[in-house]
Amino acid sequence: MNRKMMKQAQELQRKMAQLQQELETTSVQASAGGDMVKAVVSGKLRVESLEIDPEVVSDEDIDLLQDLVTAAVNEGLEKAQEMASSRMSSLTGGLNIPGLT
């Protein structure tokens, strides 16, 4: 591997580490049921917070509430994955590097 390629690989590695660090401090918000349930998910795919509208909670609505929470969390995880993939793709120029987001 020549020097120029080695330097480019090191620069890419540095940028990828920086992006991973940025993803740890970035988050997305998702909701379900017309904003009755909201979830905030980090770029590292961790649920940071969950907000449930008090009007949703009643004994009769427990199944609905569980479905809404599941939907909001899943949407948040999908958005966080899309954000991470998009940022990684822009960093790698669209190259598919195994083991990366």
Side-chain angles (χ1 to χ4, degrees):
M1 185 181 271
N2 68 32
R3 270 201 151 136
K4 185 177 180 181
M5 287 180 69
M6 183 69 103
K7 195 169 196 152
Q8 287 175 335
Q10 288 172 342
E11 180 65 14
L12 179 59
Q13 185 177 21
R14 184 191 66 74
K15 287 181 178 179
M16 288 177 11
Q18 181 181 1
L19 177 58
Q20 289 293 332
Q21 189 174 23
E22 287 175 17
L23 289 174
E24 289 180 16
T25 61
T26 305
S27 61
V28 295
Q29 180 174 324
S31 65
D35 286 344
M36 290 189 288
V37 176
K38 298 176 186 173
V40 176
V41 180
S42 75
K44 296 299 282 182
L45 306 179
R46 300 282 301 168
V47 176
E48 294 179 341
S49 68
L50 187 65
E51 181 182 325
I52 300 172
D53 186 325
E55 291 181 23
V56 178
V57 183
S58 74
D59 290 339
E60 299 85 39
D61 292 334
I62 194 70
D63 289 334
L64 173 62
L65 178 60
Q66 290 171 349
D67 289 344
L68 291 174
V69 169
T70 300
V73 170
N74 284 331
E75 182 182 337
L77 291 171
E78 288 173 18
K79 285 184 173 184
Q81 181 65 42
E82 289 170 8
M83 174 188 63
S85 293
S86 174
R87 289 187 180 190
M88 190 61 71
S89 179
S90 68
L91 179 66
T92 62
L95 292 174
N96 186 10
I97 301 173
L100 298 179
T101 306

